Amino acid sequence: MSKILRTNPSPILSAAVEYHGFIFTQGVVARNLDADAEGQTRDILEQLDTLLEQHGTDNTRLLQAQIWLKDINDRDALNKVWSAWLPENAAPARACVQAVMTNPRILVEIMVVTTK
């Protein structure tokens, strides 16, 4: 049976789960919730870089992204940072929706699936 590797597991979630060379991340939110949507997105992508690196991969291997915004009007701010972060011609399949966040200061949450 293939091994399932869980990164930083807690009673309710893991930061990432690796199985058969696929890495599924948690929904990542910014550490500094005082930042605007651009700042929160930048922080989230830095965290994702670190998490993917721990699993021996990076943003060139993205397969899918799910993005939640507190206010869909922040989509342009998100896309500015997101587009600069993505390698050329390596955009994943993606959903981006407005959602009620668990904390009203969270403006952006991003979850990705990648492969090694």
Side-chain angles (χ1 to χ4, degrees), residues 39-102:
Q40 287 194 21
T41 301
R42 193 171 291 106
D43 181 32
I44 291 165
L45 297 178
E46 288 172 7
Q47 291 181 68
L48 284 170
D49 281 337
T50 299
L51 195 52
L52 295 178
E53 186 178 313
Q54 288 176 331
H55 286 268
T57 192
D58 59 31
N59 66 344
T60 66
R61 308 283 293 164
L62 291 173
L63 301 174
Q64 182 183 47
Q66 296 177 33
I67 302 172
W68 298 272
L69 294 171
K70 178 180 178 181
D71 183 343
I72 200 68
N73 292 313
D74 285 334
R75 191 167 185 226
D76 288 342
L78 163 97
N79 282 334
K80 177 181 174 185
V81 179
W82 176 262
S83 296
W85 178 72
L86 284 177
E88 188 174 345
N89 298 317
R94 183 183 113 164
C96 180
V97 299
Q98 181 170 303
V100 175
M101 303 304 213
T102 58

